[in-house]
Amino acid sequence: MSLNKAFEIANTALTANSQRLSTVASNMANAESVAGPDGEVYRGRKVVFEAFSLPGSAKDAKAVRVKEVVTDSAPGKRVYDPKHPLADADGYLTMPNVEVVDEMVDMIAASRAYQTNVEIMNTTKTLMQKAITLGT
């Protein structure tokens, strides 16, 4: 496998984790919203990755990409607030099904994966620079 393939594979992971971070940010931004512009309660979203082979890469070398972004079908949290204008007849509000702690864990994992792939790219760059100086 050429070192350029290492860049390509790390780049796919950066792109996928960037989308994962964007999804987490969206979930956290809407964690306390009662209703969106469409009047519906926000539903948390999760990114699903899939591995694939890049053309011309080694058989065992796999890149990653976003397969899909799925909406969590879990029911929203019910909060008793009878004075809220959007409360139902029993005085309950339906809040988004986003758990902020779970989103923080997902954000930290995505951030570390992103940092790891940046380090892979830096190490590959250093290897390429060392290979150039060997010939001089």
Side-chain angles (χ1 to χ4, degrees):
M1 181 171 78
S2 73
L3 292 177
N4 287 334
K5 288 294 177 194
F7 276 117
E8 290 180 40
I9 291 171
N11 186 41
T12 62
L14 289 175
T15 303
N17 279 297
S18 176
Q19 187 167 353
R20 183 178 174 193
L21 283 169
S22 294
T23 304
V24 168
S26 176
N27 287 342
M28 291 187 64
N30 289 294
E32 298 295 325
S33 62
V34 176
D38 58 355
E40 296 294 319
V41 175
Y42 180 82
R43 299 248 175 229
R45 294 177 176 87
K46 296 290 178 194
V47 174
V48 178
F49 292 155
E50 71 175 345
F52 70 101
S53 296
L54 288 173
S57 64
K59 189 172 97 178
D60 295 336
K62 300 287 184 191
V64 65
R65 64 182 166 211
V66 173
K67 180 179 180 185
E68 63 182 329
V69 178
V70 296
T71 302
D72 189 357
S73 62
K77 295 177 278 188
R78 304 238 327 138
V79 177
Y80 184 70
D81 188 1
K83 293 182 180 177
H84 197 282
L86 296 177
D88 63 13
D90 298 327
Y92 284 94
L93 281 173
T94 302
M95 301 294 288
N97 58 357
V98 175
E99 292 293 333
V100 174
V101 174
D102 292 345
E103 296 300 325
M104 290 294 291
V105 169
D106 202 24
M107 181 179 68
I108 290 169
S111 175
R112 288 191 178 160
Y114 195 92
Q115 289 172 345
T116 300
N117 284 287
V118 168
E119 285 301 315
I120 288 170
M121 293 178 100
N122 283 334
T123 301
T124 304
K125 181 183 78 178
T126 302
L127 285 172
M128 292 175 95
Q129 289 172 334
K130 294 288 183 187
I132 290 171
T133 59
L134 286 176
T136 58

